[in-house]
Amino acid sequence: MRTCYAGQVSEKLQDQTVTLMGWAHRRRDHGGVIFIDLRDREGLVQVVCDPDRADMFKVAEEVRNEFCLKVVGKVRLRPAGTENNNLTSGKIEVLCHELEVLNPSVTPPFQMDDENLSETTRLTHRVLDLRRPYMQNNLMLRYRVAMEARKFLDEHGFIDIETPMLTKSTPEGARDYLVPSRVHDGQFFALPQSPQLFKQLLMVAGYDRYYQITKCFRDEDLRADRQPEFTQIDIETSFLSEQEIRDMFEGMIRHVFMKALNVDLGTYPVMKYADAMHLYGSDKPDLRVKLQFTELTDVMGDVDFKVFSTPATTKGGRVVALRVPGGASISRGEIDAYTEFVKIYGAKGLAWIKVNEVAKGREGLQSPIVKNLHDKAVADILSRTGAQDGDLIFFGADKAKIVNDAIGALRLKVGHSDFGKAGGLFEDRWAPLWVVDFPMFEHDEENDRWAAVHHPFTAPKDGHEDLMVTDPGACIAKAYDMVLNGWELGGGSIRIHRAEVQSKVFDALKISKEDAQVKFGFLLEALQYGAPPHGGLAFGLDRIVTMMTKAESIRDVIAFPKTQRAQCLLTGAPSNVDEKQLRELHIRLRNAAAASGAAGA
């Protein structure tokens, strides 16, 4: 029906007749000549409707925004001085010969180029929101990213294999979405948090290079970079070392960024987990921010300031400084705002020192805490941080996790602020990073037990197998995360391929042999049949595209996302179901209000 997309009409088609179809982005009546900006997924073209063709012009007079149109016309150059260099079609226009309204539209709730829409409005009217050039560009980029990933994986011998969406509920770190079985009374399927166990089984089965671009589901609290259902580029391979796997998939991400965005990501530094936490308080540090922690725990044990000395002498405590060059110009009001900010992360407050004149020592410092610090502590603070005149030093002192979370977040907030950017504390670039050598386990203080940092199928470093029994906290995993600009793009590990090692992990996690057999018996059995050494990783497709588009939320790169309350405003999901459906699933609602709502649905 059409000869080309509206957004692809250019001067190459000058003097040719084209048939276009799309939507009226805007209609303008200029003294008897009507201009229609016709829009499709490839962009805009200007259509000129002259009154010389009376029947066509009569139709043009009735056209309004978002009418679906068919245009037949001749391509001609725009008059000199009216070109639009921002459009592919900016040097031409289409003189309309025939105009047909394929379908009229009611008045839309917003203009397609309105950039100040609330998210509620956008998600409620998502179909119209998806017509907007911003969303069309985002989803087209998402398509290109997925295609380039597929091309790379195909060229490297990977096979796309689907794994089940209805599977067994297994503990993988987040709550499962459960699906009741109608056939098996009282039993449930789970939607997969990841295809982890199945891709390992595929390695045992001999499909040594697997991938899948697949949906995963996690019933967890949401934020800007989380959705209850999200898309992974899921990959597993056999007979490759950790280094070989990292090299291969660093290559894949380089390929994707170059082909889809024409961006060279440059070199990938490699940082150990322990160093990342020591310097940045985060296992996914944003290296664009030029601020680092300075460790002070060892010098604060004997100061009179209990805020510092107590965590410095308590197991699991930590004291750090964050030097902000030029920060002495930050006002007391701004410091108070930062103090409130770190409280979000569990900090009780935010100590600080303004460095007016380093040469004067204590006398050159401005702070309510200096009087509680002895001379050696003051000297150590200044020397270790490398403080200079005009600097501001923030302090974190508490349990290590609170310090890492609070001062790590403060580091980013200061670095990304107008002050940070103007002061050279932020470098606008792509900052990729591999973080490696994660701990195998972290201690769950509330339940006094060890929990897997990644998942319980991650292999320990060679020689660390016995530490899982004698000292789980010292055991290092063959695990690795790819980080970009402070976001975890993907992560993975070398997997356990020997049943006896897998059993040691379960023992460390206090998973009994009986529970292990019930939950993971199919995996443990498969490992006995000559399972090959294998490993892999998964990349978050939504996160990759969000970073590429510089969107504020992954909801801007997903066609039909959920809100932060896990609701779909377009369809009204989740919703009540009728009593008949519940009876078929052998389910009775305990909440009376919910039950009456379901009955009336």
Side-chain angles (χ1 to χ4, degrees):
M1 294 173 69
R2 63 182 168 197
T3 57
C4 62
Y5 283 105
Q8 292 178 341
V9 181
S10 70
E11 59 271 25
K12 295 178 182 178
L13 297 176
Q14 183 180 347
D15 295 329
Q16 295 186 31
T17 298
V18 294
T19 301
L20 309 174
M21 297 181 185
W23 288 266
H25 187 68
R26 188 172 285 104
R27 172 189 173 278
R28 310 183 302 280
D29 191 334
H30 286 189
V33 178
I34 294 174
F35 293 86
I36 297 172
D37 291 335
L38 188 71
R39 185 191 72 246
D40 60 22
R41 75 177 202 189
E42 299 297 331
L44 299 171
V45 68
Q46 178 172 280
V47 177
V48 182
C49 303
D50 284 336
D52 297 347
R53 293 179 169 83
D55 291 344
M56 177 275 296
F57 194 77
K58 185 175 181 180
V59 176
E61 289 181 313
E62 301 300 319
V63 168
R64 295 296 180 268
N65 288 1
E66 298 312 305
F67 276 33
C68 188
L69 304 176
K70 175 182 177 181
V71 172
V72 179
K74 186 176 182 180
V75 179
R76 69 183 187 186
L77 294 177
R78 290 194 188 192
T82 66
E83 299 91 345
N84 184 346
N85 294 326
N86 295 321
L87 298 176
T88 300
S89 63
K91 293 182 180 180
I92 57 89
E93 58 191 13
V94 176
L95 179 62
C96 189
H97 293 171
E98 300 173 28
L99 180 63
E100 179 183 350
V101 175
L102 299 175
N103 211 341
S105 171
V106 298
T107 302
F110 50 79
Q111 293 287 340
M112 295 302 112
D113 54 3
D114 189 344
E115 297 181 358
N116 297 307
L117 300 173
S118 71
E119 188 170 66
T120 298
T121 298
R122 292 178 56 201
L123 294 184
T124 301
H125 303 282
R126 189 60 163 183
V127 174
L128 291 178
D129 185 44
L130 287 172
R131 283 188 190 175
R132 297 166 61 228
Y134 170 74
M135 287 302 302
Q136 299 242 323
N137 291 336
N138 285 0
L139 292 188
M140 293 290 283
L141 177 61
R142 182 187 177 105
Y143 160 75
R144 292 197 300 274
V145 167
M147 283 303 300
E148 291 301 336
R150 288 186 184 278
K151 288 178 184 177
F152 180 94
L153 291 165
D154 182 65
E155 290 170 0
H156 286 78
F158 284 81
I159 302 170
D160 185 352
I161 304 177
E162 293 181 352
T163 53
M165 283 293 160
L166 295 176
T167 185
K168 182 183 180 71
S169 178
T170 56
E172 291 190 37
R175 286 182 294 271
D176 285 327
Y177 277 100
L178 299 177
V179 181
S181 170
R182 179 184 60 82
V183 177
H184 302 282
D185 187 2
Q187 296 185 332
F188 294 81
F189 295 104
L191 300 180
Q193 294 186 31
S194 78
Q196 181 62 48
L197 298 180
F198 286 104
K199 66 183 181 181
Q200 290 191 246
L201 294 174
L202 287 170
M203 295 303 102
V204 180
Y207 299 90
D208 63 291
R209 294 196 172 190
Y210 142 95
Y211 87 96
Q212 187 181 185
I213 299 181
T214 185
K215 286 287 187 185
C216 301
F217 306 85
R218 293 178 187 172
D219 186 5
E220 57 189 353
D221 295 333
L222 304 185
R223 59 191 188 201
D225 62 346
R226 282 182 180 169
Q227 280 279 288
E229 52 180 314
F230 56 96
T231 304
Q232 280 189 182
I233 306 173
D234 197 56
I235 306 164
E236 197 80 2
T237 183
S238 299
F239 308 117
L240 291 183
S241 68
E242 176 183 339
Q243 185 64 55
E244 288 170 326
I245 290 174
R246 292 210 319 261
D247 289 345
M248 177 176 288
F249 295 109
E250 178 181 321
M252 187 187 85
I253 295 301
R254 287 179 182 279
H255 169 89
V256 167
F257 269 76
M258 179 55 69
K259 293 294 185 180
L261 209 62
N262 196 30
V263 164
D264 183 353
L265 289 178
T267 59
Y268 271 67
V270 178
M271 183 180 298
K272 292 185 177 182
Y273 169 88
D275 294 333
M277 300 304 293
H278 180 74
L279 293 173
Y280 305 105
S282 171
D283 60 2
K284 48 182 184 295
D286 186 348
L287 298 185
R288 297 173 301 170
V289 176
K290 300 177 181 179
L291 299 174
Q292 295 183 351
F293 290 7
T294 299
E295 191 65 46
L296 295 174
T297 308
D298 58 320
V299 299
M300 292 298 169
D302 61 349
V303 298
D304 292 336
F305 195 38
K306 297 298 183 185
V307 171
F308 286 0
S309 61
T310 299
T313 55
T314 302
K315 183 180 179 181
R318 189 179 190 193
V319 182
V320 303
L322 184 73
R323 171 188 163 232
V324 181
S329 62
I330 295 175
S331 70
R332 182 59 187 270
E334 290 173 296
I335 292 175
D336 290 343
Y338 285 137
T339 301
E340 293 304 310
F341 172 75
V342 297
K343 290 179 181 178
I344 297 171
Y345 300 89
K348 301 178 183 66
L350 183 63
W352 53 272
I353 293 176
K354 285 190 176 184
V355 182
N356 296 324
E357 293 185 61
V358 174
K360 290 186 177 180
R362 177 188 299 275
E363 300 305 316
L365 307 180
Q366 177 186 345
S367 170
I369 70 167
V370 172
K371 62 180 181 292
N372 298 314
L373 304 176
H374 52 63
D375 289 343
K376 183 179 183 305
V378 171
D380 284 341
I381 290 170
L382 296 177
S383 63
R384 287 196 181 188
T385 60
Q388 300 178 19
D389 294 352
D391 289 350
L392 173 64
I393 303 173
F394 288 119
F395 298 89
D398 211 308
K399 294 179 180 178
K401 184 179 188 313
I402 292 176
V403 170
N404 292 339
D405 290 349
I407 305 304
L410 178 65
R411 171 183 173 268
L412 295 179
K413 191 169 183 64
V414 172
H416 285 271
S417 69
D418 291 341
F419 168 83
K421 292 176 180 177
L425 306 183
F426 177 85
E427 187 177 1
D428 189 9
R429 63 183 178 93
W430 293 101
L433 172 71
W434 280 111
V435 178
V436 300
D437 290 357
F438 281 79
M440 277 282 287
F441 308 104
E442 58 188 354
H443 194 255
D444 179 353
E445 295 181 7
E446 184 176 340
N447 298 303
D448 190 26
R449 60 186 300 171
W450 293 99
V453 170
H454 274 67
H455 53 62
F457 319 109
T458 299
K461 286 285 188 185
D462 296 338
H464 283 223
E465 293 87 352
D466 290 340
L467 289 174
M468 291 190 287
V469 177
T470 61
D471 188 4
C475 187
I476 302 299
K478 292 181 179 178
Y480 37 84
D481 280 358
M482 183 185 288
V483 176
L484 184 62
N485 294 3
W487 281 36
E488 179 193 331
L489 282 195
S493 65
I494 300 298
R495 322 303 187 189
I496 296 168
H497 69 283
R498 302 180 72 91
E500 64 271 19
V501 178
Q502 187 65 71
S503 295
K504 285 185 178 181
V505 173
F506 290 154
D507 289 343
L509 297 174
K510 293 185 179 179
I511 298 175
S512 68
K513 286 182 171 55
E514 293 76 16
D515 280 348
Q517 193 61 39
V518 169
K519 294 172 181 175
F520 308 110
F522 58 96
L523 174 66
L524 295 175
E525 180 181 353
L527 293 179
Q528 298 177 79
Y529 295 103
H534 61 282
L537 72 173
F539 291 100
L541 177 61
D542 311 302
R543 291 187 180 184
I544 291 173
V545 183
T546 301
M547 299 205 69
M548 287 181 165
T549 60
K550 294 183 168 57
E552 293 184 359
S553 164
I554 64 172
R555 292 187 286 276
D556 279 354
V557 301
I558 298 172
F560 300 104
K562 308 295 188 292
T563 67
Q564 277 195 280
R565 298 189 66 231
Q567 294 174 301
C568 175
L569 299 184
L570 176 69
T571 64
S575 61
N576 295 321
V577 298
D578 61 38
E579 185 64 29
K580 179 175 180 294
Q581 289 174 285
L582 294 176
R583 284 198 303 270
E584 289 175 339
L585 296 170
H586 318 289
I587 290 176
R588 177 180 298 155
L589 300 181
R590 298 177 64 183
N591 182 291
S596 63

